Amino acid sequence: MTDLHFIRLTLHLDELGRWAAGRDRGWAGRGVRQTFDEGRALHHLLAETFGQGVLQPFRLFPMAGGERGSLYAYATADAAALTETARACAMPEIEAVVDLDRIQGKPMPGHWTAGRRFGFDVRVRPVRRISRPLPRADGDAFAPGAELDAFLVEALRRFPEGARDEAMLRAGRSREAVYADWLAEQIGAAAQLEAGTRLAGFERRRLARTGRAPEGPDAILHGTLVITDPEAFTALLARGLGRHRAYGYGMLLLRPPGRDG
């Protein structure tokens, strides 16, 4: 199996905004509902600098003050190869955004052991595409193919009569519980989640996509997993979890078991 590397970039976030607005980009804040989608800007920046899908999945952590940030990603190329590619191919203005002299990386383990436990931290967009219409509160319906919050999908199916949030809580189906089950589905046979997966952060975020601005859940989940299929686990790390993996979601960060926060 191809070696996997854990990469860190230092980014100048104010320059990222200027770079995104510096060309005729519909996603740079002047397009759909004036939405600036940081994940989409990073998707294009990374593709233009290192190649399509090379640094993916990824996750951005802004530093104190918000002027700079650390972007972490999994890649099959090491830090030296990434630096060489960027030096040869990146447009000059990208050097104001990415500190090419400070690309760091380490190799991930080449083999995992079934039964090994890890804590995890993952940012996801827990959504489902529906295959049949679902009634809306306003009497209309969501059309087949719509991408909806996984919590909303379950609530609409279980309690079509209304008062869904309260009914879901009475049924023991909190947003945290629904998202934990969704996450277990995404992980599949690679690992098993232990009880206690926690919703550590949640907001609703609007994305900028071509001709539309879908709004949906942006969740951070913490918990503990046990590896059940080592090869599938390596593939899971490299692929990421859920939808929108190319835009800053789905990177599974590992922690020592028992660590939280």
Side-chain angles (χ1 to χ4, degrees), residues 89-102:
C89 302
M91 301 295 284
E93 60 267 27
I94 283 177
E95 290 198 83
V97 185
V98 183
D99 192 338
L100 298 180
D101 292 324
R102 298 180 63 189

Side-chain angles (χ1 to χ4, degrees), residues 224-245:
T224 303
L225 58 79
V226 180
I227 297 174
T228 51
D229 185 330
E231 289 192 8
F233 187 71
T234 298
L236 178 71
L237 292 179
R239 182 181 69 251
L241 294 159
R243 294 181 57 77
H244 304 279
R245 296 188 300 273

Side-chain angles (χ1 to χ4, degrees), residues 1-9 46 49-57 72-86 103-108 238:
M1 182 169 288
T2 303
D3 291 339
L4 194 65
H5 296 267
F6 189 17
I7 302 296
R8 176 182 180 265
L9 307 180
L46 297 176
T49 306
F50 303 102
Q52 189 74 33
V54 172
L55 285 177
Q56 184 181 314
Y72 294 94
Y74 291 128
T76 56
D78 63 16
L82 292 169
T83 301
E84 183 178 358
T85 297
I103 298 176
Q104 298 172 294
K106 69 165 191 177
M108 293 294 285

Side-chain angles (χ1 to χ4, degrees), residues 35-218:
T35 298
F36 174 66
D37 186 341
E38 187 174 68
R40 192 173 185 189
L42 289 169
H43 166 77
H44 285 277
L45 177 83
L46 297 176
E48 292 185 23
T49 306
F50 303 102
Q52 189 74 33
V54 172
L55 285 177
Q56 184 181 314
F58 67 85
R59 183 166 168 191
L60 177 68
F61 289 89
M63 298 179 186
E67 294 180 359
R68 294 193 302 164
S70 293
L71 183 141
Y72 294 94
Y74 291 128
T76 56
D78 63 16
L82 292 169
T83 301
E84 183 178 358
T85 297
R87 289 293 185 198
C89 302
M91 301 295 284
E93 60 267 27
I94 283 177
E95 290 198 83
V97 185
V98 183
D99 192 338
L100 298 180
D101 292 324
R102 298 180 63 189
I103 298 176
Q104 298 172 294
K106 69 165 191 177
M108 293 294 285
H111 301 282
W112 302 95
T113 302
R116 189 168 182 188
R117 299 171 67 244
F118 287 101
F120 67 84
D121 177 340
V122 64
R123 179 192 181 203
V124 290
R125 193 163 172 91
V127 294
R128 298 188 186 278
R129 282 198 179 277
I130 59 174
S131 58
R132 62 179 186 272
L134 278 177
R136 297 162 51 119
D138 59 8
D140 203 347
F142 293 105
E147 182 180 280
L148 304 178
D149 186 330
F151 178 80
L152 176 63
V153 171
E154 181 172 329
L156 289 171
R157 288 174 176 168
R158 289 170 65 104
F159 304 104
E161 68 280 1
R164 298 178 184 93
D165 287 356
E166 297 84 350
M168 287 285 281
L169 287 174
R170 288 195 299 271
R173 297 299 291 164
S174 65
R175 186 176 296 276
E176 183 174 78
V178 171
Y179 288 173
D181 288 348
W182 176 91
L183 182 65
E185 291 176 21
Q186 301 300 314
I187 290 175
Q192 182 175 357
L193 295 184
E194 292 187 353
T197 297
R198 182 170 70 88
L199 183 61
F202 173 77
E203 63 178 306
R204 304 200 67 81
R205 184 181 294 270
R206 190 172 296 281
L207 305 180
R209 297 294 182 262
T210 303
R212 58 196 180 91
E215 186 264 0
D218 189 316

